[in-house]
């Protein structure tokens, strides 16, 4: 009889522990959502969208991206692929004949033009070797110290 009483107490304790854990997790979730929403509203009140704030600190301007060399896959033979693979490491799609590719000016790695365009809007490094591609950053940082930038 006492064993069933102990078993009931353990089950009761586990149920309450699960309920309390779910309550705490949901409170944390809603609190973080509220804080993020306020941050977005604050940037909107300042006259900037959250994308503008994010892209102002990261990524490369579209006009700069357009200056990167562009060519078809047939003309890319002999160009530098990431880790020797004939795939775009951003979308993992195999390069096909007559697809438009774009080469990174500092390292020479090749990617689909659309894929690397999207990548460079939010990053300022090569997706393969992480060489800094930002023309405003003249070799500063770790890559500049090593001589890769």
């Amino acid at each position: 009889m006492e064993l069933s009483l102990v078993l009931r107490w353990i089950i009761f304790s586990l149920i309450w522990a699960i309920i309390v854990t779910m309550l705490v997790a949901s409170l944390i979730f809603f609190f973080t959502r509220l804080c993020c929403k306020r941050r977005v509203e604050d940037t909107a009140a300042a006259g900037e969208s959250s994308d503008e704030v994010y892209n102002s600190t990261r990524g490369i301007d579209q006009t700069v991206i357009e200056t990167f060399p562009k060519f078809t896959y047939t003309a890319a033979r002999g160009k530098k692929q990431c880790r020797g693979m004939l795939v775009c490491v951003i979308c993992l799609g195999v390069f096909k004949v007559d697809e438009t590719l774009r080469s990174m000016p500092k390292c020479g790695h090749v990617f689909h033009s659309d894929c690397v365009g999207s990548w460079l809007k939010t990053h300022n490094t090569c997706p393969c070797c992480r060489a800094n591609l930002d023309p405003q950053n003249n070799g500063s940082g770790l890559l500049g110290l090593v001589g890769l930038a």
Side-chain angles (χ1 to χ4, degrees), residues 69-108:
K70 200 176 192 181
F71 44 84
T72 61
Y73 176 66
T74 53
R77 306 231 182 224
K79 295 276 186 185
K80 190 175 181 182
Q81 284 92 18
C82 187
R83 294 170 181 57
M85 299 182 289
L86 298 174
V87 298
C88 174
V89 296
I90 300 169
C91 72
L92 300 178
V94 176
F95 294 137
K96 296 178 184 155
V97 176
D98 295 329
E99 277 187 321
T100 304
L101 306 179
R102 196 176 289 276
S103 175
M104 302 299 97
K106 288 190 179 178
C107 59

Side-chain angles (χ1 to χ4, degrees), residues 6 16 28 33-34 47 49 53 59 74 76 79 81-82 84 101 109 116 124 126 134 139 141 143 146:
V6 171
W16 271 107
I28 291 172
R33 295 283 294 186
L34 180 65
S49 71
V53 172
T74 53
K79 295 276 186 185
Q81 284 92 18
C82 187
L101 306 179
H109 287 118
V116 80
N124 61 1
C126 170
D134 189 355
L143 293 174
V146 187

Side-chain angles (χ1 to χ4, degrees), residues 23-88:
L23 180 64
V24 169
S26 62
L27 285 174
I28 291 172
F29 172 78
F30 288 118
F31 179 73
T32 56
R33 295 283 294 186
L34 180 65
C35 288
C36 291
K37 185 178 178 183
R38 280 189 185 160
R39 193 172 305 144
V40 170
E41 288 172 354
D42 289 344
T43 57
E48 300 175 321
S49 71
S50 58
D51 290 338
E52 288 172 344
V53 172
Y54 180 75
N55 288 335
S56 68
T57 58
R58 301 189 66 158
I60 299 177
D61 189 58
Q62 184 63 34
T63 56
V64 175
I65 295 172
E66 291 299 322
T67 65
F68 292 179
K70 200 176 192 181
F71 44 84
T72 61
Y73 176 66
T74 53
R77 306 231 182 224
K79 295 276 186 185
K80 190 175 181 182
Q81 284 92 18
C82 187
R83 294 170 181 57
M85 299 182 289
L86 298 174
V87 298
C88 174

